[in-house]
Amino acid sequence: MSRPVRRVNHRMRHWIWPAVLAVAAATLSAGSPAGADSDRSGLPEAIDTILGDSRMEGGVASVVVADAASGDVLYQHRSSGRLMPASNTKLLTSAAAMELLGPGHRFTTDVLADGRRRGRVLHGDLYLRGTGDPTTLAKDYDGLAAQIAALGVRRVSGRLIADDTRFDAKRVGDTWSADDESAYYAAQISALSLAPDTDYDTGTVVVEVAPGARAGDEPRVSVTPKTDYVDIDLRATTVASGGADTVAVERQHGRNTITVSGTVPVGGAVTKEWVTVWEPTGYAAAVFRDALAAHGVKVSGPTRAGIATPGRARQLASHDSMQLKDLMVPFMKLSNNMHAESLTKAMGHKATGRPGSWDDGIAAIGGYLKTAGVDPGKLRQVDGSGLSRKDNAPADQYVKLLRSAKGEPWFADWYASLPVACGPGKSVGGTLRSRMCGTPAALNARAKTGTLTGASGLSGYVKDRNGRELVFSIILNNHLAPSVKALEDAIVVTLASSTEDEAVPVMPRSTRAAERYGDVECSWRKPARC
């Protein structure tokens, strides 16, 4: 995973196009909407021209634009063509979760005991039972430990049992790349885990590497949360001021040893990396055991994982997550893969009563999609996040979902969770916070982004110049350009700039920024996650 860098916020320039440029779309116009010949606004020609950009040479697109109220299709190009939607998959998962789990759903993490208390000693085992909360923090485990200490317990005679049996034991999704094992966006999925900060990248630790005081010194390394569950193999060196900064941070395969290598110059910036752990159940249990010790509670026995809490056990402490409608914000704004997968397995458990699995969760999502007018037989979904390259979906099915969701009682909360073009900060703009600024789409378009190598997507809502709400889905695949997001933006800004009677086409921005900060598959720079 590449070292995080700060994205430059480039203001896009949009120009009225000379009519002659429409000729460039001739090879694409065959995919334009039925009845396009009768559309006098010029919108089909404008979007065709954008798709004719050289960055899409040899690529393929599925694009649909419709009136949100009437459903009238205003533009379509290969509308039923199945392509990799990347994180646009989260639209399916999140909408299903709002319907099947409910906006008020909370994940619980409980501490239970199966023995008797005698004085300050709790005889028997102590159980830490998770239900899939992807937002549990170290402070939450500390709170659970404090509740145990407040009962007067000072020693547990038995073991600490980490009960992660609400989900199955399959930790990674279908066809997730082995190269991504230590990358924060591909953490292992467990019903019992831990996030290091309020970006809620569950199953990860944050490693910070700062230069030493002098050349030749070891860099200073810290881990958040503080835990011995991971070991640091420090191979990096501090070099003289002005030297190369080549620090790399990566977890070794199948282990919880994190190697820090390379060089960092005196006075140089701190490198900050989010790195996954191996077996997140053990990670959560380790942090909880440390919290118990900090509160004066000693567990005499070892930690064991994967054992179900017996029915006779009594609850001693509990922590509830935020409501699902609130969890939607970090999930969708930051495109959090682990949230998507935890929700998928939670839906699978609710539907079947079995340990939550991807198969059962995807089946539950498919059942919801049918009620929303989406045909699950016309798409393939194998995970909740879109990280798998097996996920395939056409733009027309996303447009159906976007229109259907507007009639749901939970729509306002779901809509509020979508990234906002040029919105301020992560909690509003999310993955669109630096896009479409200075255009009619700014603070107007709300949409879900998606990025894999050779796959990009943007699906959501925008109002045109007269306030008419439109829904759109843009899925672009097989491009060799580092990024085609400028084309997505140009389409959305064209929609925002136009009226029902007159299209105002705009030019995609320069490729220079994309080439410099190329959106490559999930070596996503974390500060600008897509």
Side-chain angles (χ1 to χ4, degrees):
M1 182 177 174
S2 303
R3 177 166 49 83
V5 299
R6 184 168 57 190
R7 292 260 190 171
V8 177
N9 190 354
H10 295 277
R11 183 177 297 271
M12 292 188 297
R13 297 178 179 177
H14 296 274
W15 306 93
I16 303 297
W17 286 3
V20 70
L21 288 181
V23 177
T27 59
L28 289 167
S29 58
S32 295
D37 291 342
S38 62
D39 187 329
R40 305 304 182 190
S41 71
L43 182 64
E45 292 81 4
I47 299 178
D48 279 348
T49 304
I50 294 168
L51 294 178
D53 188 278
S54 61
R55 281 164 279 190
M56 279 299 294
E57 182 181 359
V60 62
S62 180
V63 181
V64 176
V65 178
D67 185 303
S70 69
D72 291 343
V73 175
L74 309 180
Y75 178 85
Q76 57 183 343
H77 174 77
R78 294 180 59 91
S79 60
S80 60
R82 285 181 288 275
L83 301 177
M84 287 184 293
S87 283
N88 276 207
T89 302
K90 295 183 177 76
L91 290 169
L92 311 176
T93 303
S94 60
M98 290 291 273
E99 178 67 22
L100 301 178
L101 299 177
H105 176 80
R106 295 179 188 269
F107 292 95
T108 60
T109 304
D110 300 319
V111 182
L112 306 98
D114 65 354
R116 293 187 176 183
R117 163 100 174 270
R118 293 176 183 170
R120 294 190 170 190
V121 179
L122 182 64
H123 292 272
D125 294 329
L126 193 66
Y127 293 83
L128 178 64
R129 183 176 64 191
T131 62
D133 184 0
T135 63
T136 318
L137 303 171
K139 70 175 184 178
D140 300 322
Y141 287 110
D142 184 75
L144 289 169
Q147 291 180 55
I148 301 302
L151 296 174
V153 175
R154 291 297 175 265
R155 186 168 71 87
V156 177
S157 68
R159 304 167 296 175
L160 175 60
I161 305 296
D163 179 358
D164 60 0
T165 59
R166 177 62 63 91
F167 292 170
D168 67 4
K170 188 175 180 181
R171 295 296 191 228
V172 296
D174 192 349
T175 66
W176 288 8
S177 174
D179 293 345
D180 292 334
E181 181 183 309
S182 69
Y184 73 90
Y185 49 79
Q188 296 179 19
I189 304 302
S190 168
L192 191 60
S193 193
L194 168 64
D197 58 22
T198 53
D199 275 4
Y200 300 111
D201 293 302
T202 192
T204 70
V205 295
V206 179
V207 179
E208 296 184 75
V209 183
R214 295 176 298 275
D217 287 352
E218 287 188 340
R220 292 173 284 116
V221 180
S222 63
V223 176
T224 303
K226 296 183 185 300
T227 177
D228 293 331
Y229 193 67
V230 297
D231 298 314
I232 299 296
D233 178 12
L234 182 56
R235 303 180 185 181
T237 304
T238 303
V239 296
S241 178
D245 186 344
T246 63
V247 170
V249 181
E250 190 169 26
R251 179 173 56 77
Q252 297 175 15
H253 170 65
R255 304 175 60 190
N256 278 311
T257 299
I258 298 173
T259 300
V260 179
S261 59
T263 59
V264 55
V266 171
V270 174
T271 293
K272 189 174 184 179
E273 288 281 6
W274 284 253
V275 182
T276 64
V277 301
W278 185 264
E279 273 302 332
T281 299
Y283 173 37
V287 169
F288 178 57
R289 181 184 276 269
D290 288 345
L292 287 168
H295 284 278
V297 180
K298 179 182 178 181
V299 180
S300 299
T303 298
R304 293 289 182 265
I307 300 173
T309 303
R312 67 179 181 277
R314 67 188 187 281
Q315 181 175 300
L316 303 179
S318 185
H319 167 75
D320 288 339
S321 74
M322 65 186 81
Q323 293 185 45
L324 179 60
K325 65 181 181 180
D326 299 317
L327 189 154
M328 280 285 150
V329 173
F331 168 30
M332 296 293 278
K333 297 285 188 184
L334 300 182
S335 197
N336 192 304
N337 290 346
M338 307 308 103
H339 291 195
E341 308 308 348
S342 292
L343 289 171
T344 299
K345 289 197 171 189
M347 285 185 276
H349 170 75
K350 183 172 183 179
T352 66
R354 297 190 289 262
S357 67
W358 270 292
D359 286 346
D360 287 342
I362 296 304
I365 293 171
Y368 157 72
L369 292 178
K370 290 179 182 178
T371 70
V374 176
D375 185 351
K378 293 186 177 179
L379 57 86
R380 179 172 62 221
Q381 183 178 2
V382 301
D383 63 10
S385 65
L387 186 56
S388 174
R389 300 184 76 85
K390 279 188 177 180
D391 291 315
N392 279 144
D396 63 355
Q397 299 302 310
Y398 281 111
V399 164
K400 289 180 180 180
L401 175 66
L402 292 165
R403 291 195 63 245
S404 173
K406 288 178 62 64
E408 300 292 350
W410 42 259
F411 174 73
D413 290 318
W414 187 72
Y415 179 77
S417 76
L418 296 175
V420 179
C422 203
K426 293 189 292 186
S427 64
V428 178
T431 55
L432 282 179
R433 61 190 178 274
S434 64
R435 293 173 61 178
M436 293 177 265
C437 295
T439 76
L443 303 181
N444 172 2
R446 289 178 178 260
K448 185 68 200 74
T449 56
T451 311
L452 292 171
T453 300
S456 188
L458 188 66
S459 300
Y461 306 87
V462 67
K463 291 181 180 177
D464 71 11
R465 197 169 71 198
N466 287 346
R468 177 181 56 157
E469 187 174 41
L470 307 176
V471 290
F472 62 87
S473 180
I474 307 162
I475 307 174
L476 309 177
N477 276 198
N478 299 341
H479 52 86
L480 298 181
S483 175
V484 290
K485 297 194 179 301
L487 279 63
E488 298 165 1
D489 292 352
I491 292 173
V492 176
V493 176
T494 293
L495 299 177
S497 304
S498 302
T499 67
E500 186 172 356
D501 300 319
E502 180 185 9
V504 180
V506 297
M507 180 182 294
R509 63 176 168 84
S510 165
T511 62
R512 287 180 295 177
E515 289 168 352
R516 184 177 178 187
Y517 300 107
D519 296 293
V520 295
E521 176 168 19
C522 301
S523 59
W524 299 331
R525 271 69 168 179
K526 189 174 191 303
R529 183 187 340 203
C530 293

